[in-house]
Amino acid sequence: MNFRFGRSILFLFSFSFFLLFAFVSGALFFLVTKGEVDFSALERYDPAVPSVLLDSNGKQWGAFQLDKRDPINIDVVPKHLIQAFVASEDHDFFTHTGLSMRGILRSTLVNLYHLKIVQGASTITQQLVKLLFFDSSRTFKRKVKEQFLSLLVERQFTKEQILETYLNHVYFGCGIYGVQAASQRFWGKDAGKLSIAESAMLAAVVKSPARYCPLLSPLSAEKRRNLVLNSMKNLGFILPKEY
């Protein structure tokens, strides 16, 4: 029984290594031969158009916009807001090339064990690519495409451009998109004036907006926020006293 189990584990690791090698080889070939891709969505911001309500005569009597967006420049975002998202979503954001190889290997093992996609290893770059170019389907084919595009995004854009676009697109629940709109909705202030605790709250929400949106689940949001603050402390972004 133990021998069979050991063989299964060895096969699992061997197969995972093969998949990782195949992906890296394919990615390098793709980058060399593909060149550049038009990621104009990263270079311009186009807020959604509000829905207009008309009366029986065709005259407008109201409008609403669930897709609330209010873009903000990365230069006015406080440093601790950026650090909160890095601590929560992607510790190596400023050093990786778009992918986390350790995360890929870990998630590959888990997904192979379950024979389906149950765990991701998404960097902030991958999350942005998914937000802009893909739906919410969880398939191996879509994941591979997402990873290739993430490598290309990192080649063509700076970390600041990627982070700015991500912060302006990420979803916070209740039809709210972007840190500026979320800051206005939650606290009635600009994102540039957020405190450390408020920044950690925003970073906490994106993990699962349906579960952690403070407008819907304030206690769950607070618990998740505290985890983000602890991560910020452990990474040296904030002092123990600030935590």
Side-chain angles (χ1 to χ4, degrees):
M1 183 69 177
N2 290 336
F3 177 73
R4 292 180 60 186
F5 178 76
R7 288 185 61 185
S8 298
I9 293 296
L10 180 61
F11 172 78
L12 190 61
F13 271 98
S14 299
F15 186 61
S16 300
F17 179 80
F18 170 77
L19 287 180
L20 186 61
F21 177 79
F23 170 76
V24 172
S25 300
L28 291 174
F29 176 79
F30 185 80
L31 290 174
V32 171
T33 60
K34 187 66 176 179
E36 294 188 350
V37 175
D38 178 18
F39 289 111
S40 56
L42 288 172
E43 297 177 317
R44 67 174 186 272
Y45 187 83
D46 185 18
V49 178
S51 298
V52 177
L53 305 178
L54 305 177
D55 60 22
S56 58
N57 296 319
K59 294 183 179 181
Q60 178 178 335
W61 62 272
F64 66 93
Q65 185 176 5
L66 291 178
D67 188 17
K68 301 180 186 299
R69 299 178 190 264
D70 191 4
I72 189 170
N73 192 289
I74 193 71
D75 293 334
V76 302
V77 170
K79 184 178 181 180
H80 52 253
L81 177 61
I82 295 174
Q83 292 172 331
F85 276 87
V86 169
S88 176
E89 300 296 306
D90 187 357
H91 294 181
D92 302 319
F93 173 70
F94 287 103
T95 57
H96 65 58
T97 58
L99 305 178
S100 170
M101 303 313 294
R102 285 186 303 174
I104 290 174
L105 181 59
R106 182 185 65 252
S107 63
T108 298
L109 293 174
V110 174
N111 295 333
L112 282 174
Y113 178 80
H114 292 278
L115 297 180
K116 62 179 180 179
I117 300 290
V118 296
Q119 184 181 104
S122 294
T123 62
I124 285 178
T125 308
Q126 287 177 261
Q127 292 180 48
L128 175 60
V129 167
K130 182 170 62 176
L131 284 171
L132 296 180
F133 304 112
F134 294 103
D135 56 27
S136 58
S137 62
R138 298 170 68 89
T139 64
F140 284 104
K141 182 178 180 180
R142 189 205 64 80
K143 191 67 176 178
V144 170
K145 287 183 177 179
E146 171 195 303
Q147 292 170 338
F148 284 164
L149 290 178
S150 298
L151 293 173
L152 287 172
V153 167
E154 288 275 349
R155 283 187 63 191
Q156 295 178 222
F157 297 91
T158 66
K159 292 289 186 179
E160 288 71 24
Q161 288 175 306
I162 293 170
L163 191 60
E164 179 179 289
T165 309
Y166 173 77
L167 293 177
N168 282 324
H169 280 78
V170 69
Y171 184 54
F172 292 94
C174 299
I176 304 169
Y177 290 82
V179 294
Q180 176 69 354
S183 180
Q184 289 285 353
R185 183 73 178 275
F186 297 158
W187 300 289
K189 64 169 70 173
D190 290 334
K193 299 179 180 179
L194 290 174
S195 67
I196 293 175
E198 292 164 344
S199 297
M201 176 67 80
L202 290 189
V205 173
V206 300
K207 186 72 173 180
S208 178
R211 181 183 302 177
Y212 299 121
C213 180
L215 300 179
L216 303 176
S217 307
L219 293 181
S220 296
E222 184 179 30
K223 290 180 180 179
R224 173 66 189 167
R225 180 210 65 183
N226 292 343
L227 292 177
V228 175
L229 287 171
N230 186 61
S231 182
M232 293 176 71
K233 175 177 67 71
N234 292 338
L235 290 170
F237 291 155
I238 59 176
L239 299 173
K241 183 178 180 179
E242 292 175 307
Y243 167 73

